[in-house]
């Protein structure tokens, strides 16, 4: 066998050979659906990577656009009969591309601040959340929304600002302790992974998560030194930084004697369950990562396992469930959210057509590739509207923002709401 070149190793050429070009992945790929080009399909992207690895395309930056326009939903993996590990191929190619990419000094500075100083620092994320609360509470938000000043900012800032939920006050944030015991003898003991965006912007969902766990008889520990899962870093070519964050989380959570490590964000959970892949070449962390991964669970799995959640208040609405791609395709958590939705009294669940299709959120894909993201969202919203649901349930902050955006785009504000599953369960359990 001819030994692989360094470039071929870097691009995971070994994995690309599993693709037999059958094309079964094409109908499930959202970018192929919206752009209708082979180069914007999983098969096309794999071929392009192969061509670079074999020297048939000289410069890797020639394939930058199709690789960057992949939303990273991993639906192609679920459709592939030969088990092509597209996620690994895509991530390896993006890391290789990152080395060749020339950022302007401003973009470099923004990336540096976001990836190193904001997402990994929970205190910064919480302070950001407090500032947004102040901005909302002071009335400034109303003024800026009325004058539409934010619409003049780049990256559609004004549009995304309108998707912000009402944030909790500083006092409400402090209501959550670090060690929560249920009334009765605990059935399970878990450590809670808070997530940077969840704790900064969606802290109320985190609080509901903890209160639901407590109601279900679960003891919860919230380790202080936990950090961002690293998903955004890994998907943006910041491989080394993603590794550092993974190691910090493994160090922090491994010290705890718990049954599970629970999270409530599809994207974060997907990053956490792949720490063993991320660290497969690290002799010091390889085994520790496997143990960590074996304990990671989504909140829906824990609530189903604990059982007996007292859902006493009916919610008389038609709902539909927008699956998080990363929860479905990477974590493979499919049944538990549905089981929980169906256990809420009064609800009528109507499934949308193509429920597994991505909504176009893709981490920060909707900010960077706005037009492409909105085309995917438009397809998704057509299927949502057909259900006549008044509530869209999601399990990931990115999907939640995207669904709010879809509601605004379709003029459905006030008629349809988007919520995290945990919010709906809390409503039915009477948690305020
Ligand atoms: S990850 Fe999603 S967008 Fe990317 S190639 Fe696969 S199906 Fe298409
Ligand atoms: S389904 Fe799998 S083997 Fe077939 S073209 Fe897509 S990636 Fe290749």
């Amino acid at each position: 066998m001819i030994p692989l070149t360094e470039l071929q190793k870097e691009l995971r050429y070994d994995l690309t050979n599993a693709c037999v070009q059958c094309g079964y992945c094409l109908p499930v790929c959202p970018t192929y659906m919206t752009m209708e080009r082979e180069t914007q399909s999983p098969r096309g992207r794999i071929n392009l990577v192969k061509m670079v690895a074999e020297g048939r395309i000289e410069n890797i930056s020639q394939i930058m656009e199709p690789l960057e326009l992949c939303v990273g939903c991993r639906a192609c993996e679920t459709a592939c009969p030969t088990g092509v590990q597209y996620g690994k191929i895509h991530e390896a190619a993006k890391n290789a591309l990152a080395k060749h990419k020339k950022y302007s000094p401003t973009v470099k500075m923004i990336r540096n601040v976001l990836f190193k100083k904001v997402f990994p620092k929970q205190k910064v994320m919480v302070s950001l959340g407090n500032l947004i609360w102040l901005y909302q509470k002071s009335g400034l938000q109303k003024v800026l929304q009325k004058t539409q000043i934010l619409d003049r900012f780049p990256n559609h800032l004004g549009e995304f600002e309108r998707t912000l939920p009402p944030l909790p006050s500083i006092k409400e944030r402090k209501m959550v302790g670090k060690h929560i015991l249920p009334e009765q003898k605990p059935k399970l003991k878990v450590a809670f992974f808070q997530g940077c965006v969840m704790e900064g912007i969606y802290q109320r969902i985190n609080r509901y998560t903890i209160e639901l766990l407590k109601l279900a008889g679960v003891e919860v520990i919230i380790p202080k030194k936990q950090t961002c899962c690293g998903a955004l870093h890994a998907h943006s070519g910041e491989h080394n930084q993603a590794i550092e964050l993974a190691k910090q989380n493994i160090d922090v959570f491994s010290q705890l004697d718990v049954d599970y490590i629970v999270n409530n964000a599809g994207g974060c959970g997907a990053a956490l369950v792949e720490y063993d892949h991320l660290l497969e070449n690290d002799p010091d962390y390889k085994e520790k990562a496997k143990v960590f991964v074996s304990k990671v669970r989504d909140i829906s799995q824990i609530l189903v396992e604990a059982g007996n959640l007292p859902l006493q208040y009916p919610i008389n609405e038609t709902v539909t469930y927008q699956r998080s791609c990363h929860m479905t395709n990477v974590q493979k958590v499919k049944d538990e959210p549905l089981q929980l939705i169906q256990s809420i009294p009064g609800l009528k669940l109507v499934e949308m057509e193509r429920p597994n299709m991505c909504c176009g959120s893709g981490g920060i894909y909707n900010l960077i590739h706005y037009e492409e993201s909105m085309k995917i969202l438009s397809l998704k919203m057509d299927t949502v509207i057909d259900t006549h649901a008044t509530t869209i349930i999601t399990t990931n902050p990115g999907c939640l923002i995207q669904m709010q955006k879809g509601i605004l785009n379709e003029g459905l504000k006030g008629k349809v709401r988007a919520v995290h599953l945990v919010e709906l369960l809390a409503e039915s359990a009477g948690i305020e």
Side-chain angles (χ1 to χ4, degrees):
M1 203 167 73
I2 306 165
L4 294 178
T5 63
E6 280 312 306
L7 180 65
Q8 286 173 338
K9 281 187 205 158
E10 190 182 4
L11 290 175
R12 296 307 309 262
Y13 180 63
D14 54 329
L15 300 180
T16 63
N17 290 322
C19 176
V20 294
Q21 309 289 311
C22 65
Y24 286 167
C25 52
L26 269 59
V28 301
C29 173
T31 56
Y32 184 69
M33 275 185 223
T34 51
M35 298 184 219
E36 296 177 330
R37 289 207 304 275
E38 176 70 16
T39 48
Q40 300 297 354
S41 76
R43 181 176 65 187
R45 290 177 175 124
I46 293 168
N47 261 334
L48 290 173
V49 172
K50 267 182 117 161
M51 286 168 87
V52 174
E54 290 168 356
R56 289 187 283 145
I57 292 178
E58 262 180 40
N59 190 343
I60 192 168
S61 51
Q62 284 174 258
I63 67 166
M64 190 174 294
E65 191 198 70
L67 287 173
E68 293 207 331
L69 287 180
C70 164
V71 74
C73 66
R74 314 258 298 257
C76 43
E77 288 186 2
T78 64
C80 179
T82 62
V84 171
Q85 298 179 61
Y86 176 84
K88 282 190 180 177
I89 299 169
H90 184 229
E91 206 160 297
K94 284 197 71 173
N95 286 334
L97 272 171
K99 290 182 197 158
H100 292 78
K101 200 161 174 174
K102 303 259 179 292
Y103 293 109
S104 69
T106 319
V107 173
K108 228 186 217 169
M109 192 266 290
I110 293 172
R111 281 177 69 95
N112 200 29
V113 169
L114 282 180
F115 289 130
K116 293 190 179 150
K117 313 256 185 272
V118 178
F119 294 131
K121 313 264 182 208
Q122 207 175 72
K123 274 191 183 161
V124 176
M125 288 304 290
V126 170
S127 303
L128 188 67
N130 287 338
L131 278 176
I132 297 173
W133 169 74
L134 204 62
Y135 158 72
Q136 293 178 330
K137 187 81 185 155
S138 65
L140 184 60
Q141 182 179 41
K142 274 191 191 143
V143 174
L144 293 190
Q145 284 189 350
K146 210 170 173 188
T147 53
Q148 300 185 341
I149 286 173
L150 292 177
D151 289 341
R152 292 183 207 159
F153 281 71
N155 288 73
H156 305 269
L157 184 74
E159 292 176 39
F160 285 105
E161 189 275 345
R162 288 192 275 277
T163 67
L164 275 176
L167 265 70
S169 65
I170 298 167
K171 193 174 158 204
E172 189 182 331
R173 276 183 190 274
K174 288 187 177 158
M175 279 164 63
V176 182
K178 294 286 171 204
H179 186 182
I180 298 97
L181 280 164
E183 312 267 309
Q184 66 274 46
K185 189 171 175 281
K187 294 175 195 166
L188 293 169
K189 186 175 176 185
V190 304
F192 180 48
F193 178 82
Q194 294 169 295
C196 57
V197 174
M198 291 305 291
E199 193 57 17
I201 311 288
Y202 292 102
Q203 195 264 356
R204 195 165 282 141
I205 297 177
N206 275 359
R207 177 167 68 77
Y208 290 157
T209 301
I210 293 156
E211 294 195 23
L212 285 167
L213 287 167
K214 187 179 168 189
L215 267 184
V218 179
E219 179 179 350
V220 186
I221 294 172
I222 307 174
K224 213 174 162 189
K225 291 197 173 154
Q226 59 178 295
T227 185
C228 166
C229 65
L232 290 175
H233 302 77
H235 302 153
S236 306
E238 298 286 339
H239 184 68
N240 292 340
Q241 182 76 9
I243 285 182
E244 286 315 308
L245 296 173
K247 285 183 179 174
Q248 185 175 333
N249 278 326
I250 290 171
D251 287 343
V252 169
F253 283 89
S254 301
Q255 288 169 16
L256 304 169
D257 175 24
V258 291
D259 301 307
Y260 299 117
I261 298 162
V262 59
N263 75 89
N264 59 10
C268 299
L272 300 178
V273 299
E274 295 207 317
Y275 276 2
D276 52 348
H277 297 313
L278 197 62
L279 295 161
E280 63 192 353
N281 297 322
D282 188 312
D284 295 334
Y285 278 86
K286 195 175 155 181
E287 292 309 315
K288 286 192 224 172
K290 282 185 192 163
V291 176
F292 177 93
V293 168
S294 70
K295 290 189 175 185
V296 173
R297 296 288 185 282
D298 179 71
I299 175 67
S300 59
Q301 295 175 294
I302 303 294
L303 291 178
V304 167
E305 183 175 334
N308 297 330
L309 201 57
L311 302 175
Q312 41 187 323
Y313 299 97
I315 299 174
N316 297 309
E317 279 189 58
T318 300
V319 302
T320 193
Y321 172 41
Q322 163 53 28
R323 288 153 174 75
S324 145
C325 303
H326 282 178
M327 197 157 117
T328 311
N329 304 335
V330 183
Q331 293 188 68
K332 317 278 184 213
V333 178
K334 297 173 188 166
D335 299 336
E336 292 87 346
L338 283 169
Q339 268 175 262
L340 290 171
I341 292 169
Q342 281 158 343
S343 68
I344 298 175
L347 276 194
K348 182 183 167 206
L349 171 68
V350 180
E351 287 275 37
M352 62 184 83
E353 208 188 313
R354 298 191 300 263
N356 291 332
M357 186 195 136
C358 177
C359 62
S361 159
I364 49 172
Y365 186 92
N366 49 5
L367 290 176
I368 303 172
H369 305 294
Y370 180 81
E371 306 296 336
E372 291 79 7
S373 165
M374 290 304 123
K375 280 184 197 154
I376 299 171
L377 178 59
S378 173
L379 282 185
K380 175 56 70 178
M381 289 309 292
D382 287 346
T383 65
V384 168
I385 290 166
D386 284 346
T387 66
H388 300 287
T390 50
T391 295
I392 311 166
I393 305 169
T394 73
T395 50
N396 185 49
C399 309
L400 195 48
I401 294 170
Q402 189 80 339
M403 287 295 103
Q404 304 279 16
K405 183 77 181 78
I407 290 169
L408 292 175
N409 288 0
E410 302 293 333
L412 295 171
K413 193 178 172 194
K415 296 181 194 141
V416 177
R417 63 174 177 161
V419 296
H420 191 290
L421 171 59
V422 156
E423 291 179 279
L424 216 56
L425 292 169
E427 193 177 321
S428 181
I431 299 169
E432 287 179 2

